[in-house]
Amino acid sequence: MNALEKRNNVVGTVCIILATLCWGLSGCSGQYLLHDLSLPTPVVLCIRQVSAGLILIVLDKLFRQKGKDTQPRPSIWKSKQDCKTLLFFSLFGICLTQFSFFMAIYYADSGTATVLQYLSTIIILIVTCIQQRIFPKREELLAILAAVAGTFVISTGGRFNQLAISGHALFFGIVCALAYSTYTLVPGQIVRTYGSKYIVGRGMLISGIFLSIFVRPWTYHLELSGQVLLGFCGLILIGTAAGSTLYHFGASLLPPVKAGIIANFDPVSSVILTAVLLGTKFTAADLVGFVLIISAVFLLNLYWIKKPSPQQE
């Protein structure tokens, strides 16, 4: 590894770790707005989705102008099939993921919601095994068992006769993991064609407009105090603009698989920031459950890196 590669490796790693801290701070900001300031969850979500969508669309244009790719990019609106995929992704990927995530924060906390969301990796594994009609390998099976055990410990505190967290929190956390699996699996082709910020930005904007039709956030009176603005700044500017920019810059300097592995630091940062910044207290059972789920995700991703291709097996 030459000096430039070493530099890119260090800078890329630092940028993605900072991105996960931005995402963790975004979750904390959401919890602060919902718990401490008692803002209505649907209104916060509408403002976040529309604002984040517009920011990502602008960032996409800026990055493209500064990048090396000067070829004109096709418009997704000219392809009916791609538009259908974008609409499905917007509603059942982005909208359902964000709605269930914010509801899980409302009924529990940002750290718990983020960890439960990362069960999506296990769900993706199960879906892939079903589609390919194969049985999980030993390492994959261990990851599934660890994730199930972690979810059990978080939800019950290790006791069979009670729930340690709200049933609503567990429900929305599981729904969030299922929806995040859709978020990950569905848009692959259109992301490769148009770019991630292009698709996610438009998807967020569509989901925000869709929610706004039913929620009608303009009918709510929000007092724009310094605390409210600070919360939305963390939720939108830091969590979306800074987080996305740092991640994509870092990912451009690293191999894709390594970038994805480092991005799995997100639930760790979310738990730490939730405890440090908001004073959320986690029990020993919570921490054991977090470790089980996060370890399962990390180990599964590491196994997939080393897993031989079908031609090599």
Side-chain angles (χ1 to χ4, degrees), residues 69-109:
D69 188 2
T70 57
Q71 296 296 322
R73 179 169 50 190
S75 171
I76 194 171
W77 311 117
K78 295 182 180 180
S79 170
K80 289 184 179 180
Q81 184 58 46
D82 289 350
C83 283
K84 290 179 182 177
T85 303
L86 175 62
L87 183 61
F88 184 87
F89 170 63
S90 301
L91 300 183
F92 296 98
I94 294 178
C95 187
L96 186 56
T97 295
Q98 293 299 320
F99 176 76
S100 54
F101 179 71
F102 273 76
M103 292 302 292
I105 290 177
Y106 176 78
Y107 285 110
D109 56 77

Side-chain angles (χ1 to χ4, degrees), residues 21-45 47-48 98-99 101-111 113-114 227-240 270 273-274 277-278 280:
L21 291 174
C22 289
W23 297 335
L25 185 59
S26 176
C28 289
S29 299
Q31 180 176 330
Y32 176 69
L33 290 170
L34 301 181
H35 287 198
D36 296 73
L37 302 184
S38 301
L39 267 61
T41 304
V43 175
V44 171
L45 185 55
I47 295 173
R48 192 261 180 184
Q98 293 299 320
F99 176 76
F101 179 71
F102 273 76
M103 292 302 292
I105 290 177
Y106 176 78
Y107 285 110
D109 56 77
S110 174
T114 304
Q227 292 174 310
V228 171
L229 292 175
L230 182 64
F232 276 112
C233 179
L235 181 65
I236 299 169
L237 295 181
I238 296 177
T240 300
S270 184
L273 290 174
T274 302
L277 298 181
L278 300 179
T280 302

Side-chain angles (χ1 to χ4, degrees), residues 30 33 37 41 73 76 98 124 137 145 150 153 159 178 198 206 226 241 295 301:
L33 290 170
L37 302 184
T41 304
R73 179 169 50 190
I76 194 171
Q98 293 299 320
I124 291 171
K137 303 295 184 182
L145 292 175
V153 172
R159 301 177 182 178
L178 290 168
Y198 181 97
I206 291 171
S295 298
N301 279 278

Side-chain angles (χ1 to χ4, degrees), residues 115-132:
V115 172
L116 291 176
Q117 174 183 293
Y118 270 73
L119 286 170
S120 59
T121 303
I122 307 299
I123 295 171
I124 291 171
L125 165 63
I126 295 172
V127 170
T128 302
C129 288
I130 293 173
Q131 288 178 337
Q132 298 180 359

